[in-house]
């Protein structure tokens, strides 16, 4: 009887441990989704879908879950030096509002691992993933800004043709900048909410010369 009681006790202990482990796994499978958040679900490496509806859910514990943010984010890019259409060096900067639209592209079309400051955090930490995407946005914004700025002269005094310029045609420049950014960021599933030039000036090495030129032009115009 003692041996039977010992065996029965062993089975009860083993069953209790197994139930405890199963309970812990099940408890870890609950997830809470807040507004403008999402969870990307994959099944042993295969994309299974995205949860973005606000609520409290339980999912199969064998699913892999990656948390992403769908909230709008700002990028205030430092002014960069570019050559305008006439070859004059100018300093130009932009402010960009963007948000994640396509979670599949963000996680599987762009190599966020190599862009992250700490690659080990991507996938398990929302901040690591979003910082990697912000890195991507910053590089593409720089390229788009250089492309757009190089198509226009700083002002009409340089072009003498009545064409749109960086200083006088802000709305047209901003619209074209948004279009270029949309094209570049679509690869990562990112939507451009707004993009605007927030800084424009001649580069320091020619600023004094251009100021004297503008003053001389104003004097000539006043005399005429």
């Amino acid at each position: 009887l003692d041996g039977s009681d010992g065996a029965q006790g062993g089975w009860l202990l083993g069953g209790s441990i197994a139930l405890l482990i199963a309970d812990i796994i099940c408890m870890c499978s609950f997830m809470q989704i807040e507004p403008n958040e999402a969870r990307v679900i994959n099944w042993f490496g295969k994309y299974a879908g995205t949860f973005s509806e606000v609520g409290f859910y339980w999912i199969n514990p064998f699913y892999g879950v990656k948390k992403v943010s769908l909230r709008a984010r700002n990028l205030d890019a430092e002014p960069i030096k570019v050559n305008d259409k006439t070859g004059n060096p100018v300093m130009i900067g932009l402010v960009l509002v963007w948000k994640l639209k396509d979670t599949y592209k963000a996680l599987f079309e762009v190599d966020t691992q190599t862009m992250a400051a700490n690659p080990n955090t991507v996938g398990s930490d929302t901040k690591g993933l979003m910082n990697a995407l912000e890195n991507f946005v910053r590089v593409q914004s720089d390229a788009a800004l250089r492309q757009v700025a190089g198509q226009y002269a700083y002002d009409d005094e340089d072009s003498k043709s009545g064409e749109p310029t960086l200083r006088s045609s802000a709305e047209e420049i901003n619209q074209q900048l948004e279009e270029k950014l949309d094209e570049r960021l679509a690869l990562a599933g990112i939507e451009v909410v707004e993009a605007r030039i927030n800084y424009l000036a001649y580069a320091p090495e020619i600023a004094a010369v251009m100021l004297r030129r503008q003053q001389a032009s104003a004097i000539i115009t006043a005399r005429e």
Side-chain angles (χ1 to χ4, degrees), residues 9 29 37 40 58 64 67 72 92 102 118 120 128 152-153 164-165 183 204 224:
S29 298
E37 282 189 350
V40 179
W58 182 89
K67 181 180 177 182
I92 186 168
D102 191 323
N118 184 2
N120 295 326
Y152 298 90
T165 64
E183 293 175 5
E224 290 177 350

Coordinates of all heavy atoms in Angstrom, one line a residue, residues 9 29 37 40 58 64 67 72 92 102 118 120 128 152-153 164-165 183 204 224:
G9 N 1.0 9.5 -5.4 CA 1.5 10.8 -5.1 C 2.4 11.4 -6.1 O 2.3 12.6 -6.4
S29 N -0.5 34.0 -23.0 CA -1.1 34.2 -24.3 C -2.2 35.2 -24.4 O -2.8 35.4 -25.5 CB -1.6 32.8 -24.8 OG -0.6 31.9 -24.9
E37 N -2.6 50.7 -31.8 CA -1.6 49.7 -31.6 C -2.0 48.4 -32.4 O -3.2 48.3 -32.8 CB -1.4 49.3 -30.2 CG -0.6 50.3 -29.4 CD -0.3 49.7 -28.0 OE1 -0.8 48.7 -27.6 OE2 0.5 50.4 -27.3
V40 N 1.3 41.8 -34.7 CA 1.6 41.0 -35.9 C 1.7 39.5 -35.5 O 2.6 39.3 -34.6 CB 2.8 41.5 -36.7 CG1 3.0 40.6 -37.9 CG2 2.6 42.9 -37.1
W58 N -7.2 36.4 -26.3 CA -6.3 35.2 -26.0 C -6.0 34.5 -27.3 O -6.9 34.3 -28.1 CB -7.0 34.2 -25.1 CG -6.2 33.0 -24.7 CD1 -5.3 33.0 -23.7 CD2 -6.1 31.8 -25.4 NE1 -4.7 31.7 -23.7 CE2 -5.1 31.0 -24.7 CE3 -6.7 31.3 -26.6 CZ2 -4.8 29.7 -25.1 CZ3 -6.3 30.0 -27.0 CH2 -5.4 29.2 -26.3
G64 N 3.7 33.4 -32.7 CA 4.6 34.4 -32.4 C 4.0 35.8 -32.5 O 3.2 36.0 -33.5
K67 N 4.7 43.3 -31.4 CA 3.9 44.5 -31.1 C 4.4 45.7 -31.9 O 5.6 45.9 -32.0 CB 4.0 44.9 -29.6 CG 3.2 46.1 -29.2 CD 3.4 46.3 -27.7 CE 2.7 47.6 -27.2 NZ 2.9 47.8 -25.8
A72 N 0.9 58.4 -34.9 CA 1.7 59.3 -35.8 C 3.0 59.7 -35.0 O 3.0 59.8 -33.8 CB 0.8 60.5 -36.1
I92 N 18.6 73.6 -46.3 CA 17.2 73.3 -46.3 C 16.9 72.2 -45.3 O 17.6 71.2 -45.2 CB 16.7 73.0 -47.8 CG1 15.2 72.9 -47.8 CG2 17.4 71.8 -48.3 CD1 14.7 72.8 -49.3
D102 N 1.0 49.7 -43.1 CA 1.1 48.3 -43.5 C 2.1 47.6 -42.7 O 3.3 47.7 -42.9 CB 1.4 48.2 -45.0 CG 1.2 46.8 -45.6 OD1 1.5 45.8 -44.8 OD2 0.8 46.6 -46.7
N118 N 20.1 48.5 -31.5 CA 20.3 47.3 -30.8 C 19.4 46.2 -31.5 O 18.2 46.1 -31.2 CB 19.9 47.4 -29.3 CG 20.1 46.1 -28.6 OD1 20.6 45.1 -29.1 ND2 19.7 46.1 -27.3
N120 N 18.9 43.2 -31.3 CA 18.2 42.2 -30.5 C 16.9 42.6 -30.0 O 16.0 41.8 -29.6 CB 19.1 41.8 -29.2 CG 20.4 41.1 -29.7 OD1 20.4 40.4 -30.7 ND2 21.5 41.4 -28.9
G128 N 12.3 49.4 -30.2 CA 13.4 49.1 -31.1 C 13.0 49.0 -32.5 O 13.7 49.5 -33.4
Y152 N 14.8 73.2 -58.3 CA 14.3 74.6 -58.2 C 15.5 75.5 -57.9 O 16.4 75.1 -57.1 CB 13.2 74.8 -57.2 CG 11.9 74.0 -57.5 CD1 11.8 72.7 -57.0 CD2 10.9 74.5 -58.3 CE1 10.7 71.9 -57.3 CE2 9.8 73.8 -58.5 CZ 9.7 72.5 -58.1 OH 8.5 71.7 -58.3
A153 N 15.4 76.8 -58.3 CA 16.3 77.8 -57.9 C 15.9 78.3 -56.6 O 14.7 78.2 -56.2 CB 16.4 78.9 -58.9
P164 N 8.7 78.6 -60.8 CA 8.6 78.4 -59.3 C 10.0 78.3 -58.7 O 10.9 77.7 -59.2 CB 7.8 77.1 -59.2 CG 7.1 76.9 -60.5 CD 8.0 77.5 -61.5
T165 N 10.1 78.8 -57.5 CA 11.4 78.8 -56.7 C 11.1 78.3 -55.3 O 10.0 78.2 -54.9 CB 12.0 80.2 -56.7 OG1 11.1 81.0 -55.9 CG2 12.2 80.8 -58.0
E183 N 6.4 57.8 -52.4 CA 7.0 56.8 -53.2 C 8.1 56.0 -52.5 O 8.2 54.8 -52.6 CB 7.6 57.4 -54.5 CG 6.5 58.1 -55.4 CD 7.2 58.8 -56.6 OE1 8.4 58.8 -56.7 OE2 6.4 59.4 -57.4
P204 N 26.2 79.3 -45.4 CA 27.0 80.4 -44.8 C 28.1 81.0 -45.7 O 28.3 82.2 -45.7 CB 27.6 79.7 -43.6 CG 26.7 78.6 -43.3 CD 26.2 78.1 -44.6
E224 N 15.0 102.6 -60.8 CA 14.2 102.5 -62.1 C 12.8 103.0 -61.8 O 12.2 103.5 -62.7 CB 14.2 101.0 -62.5 CG 15.6 100.6 -63.1 CD 15.6 99.1 -63.4 OE1 14.5 98.4 -63.1 OE2 16.5 98.6 -64.1

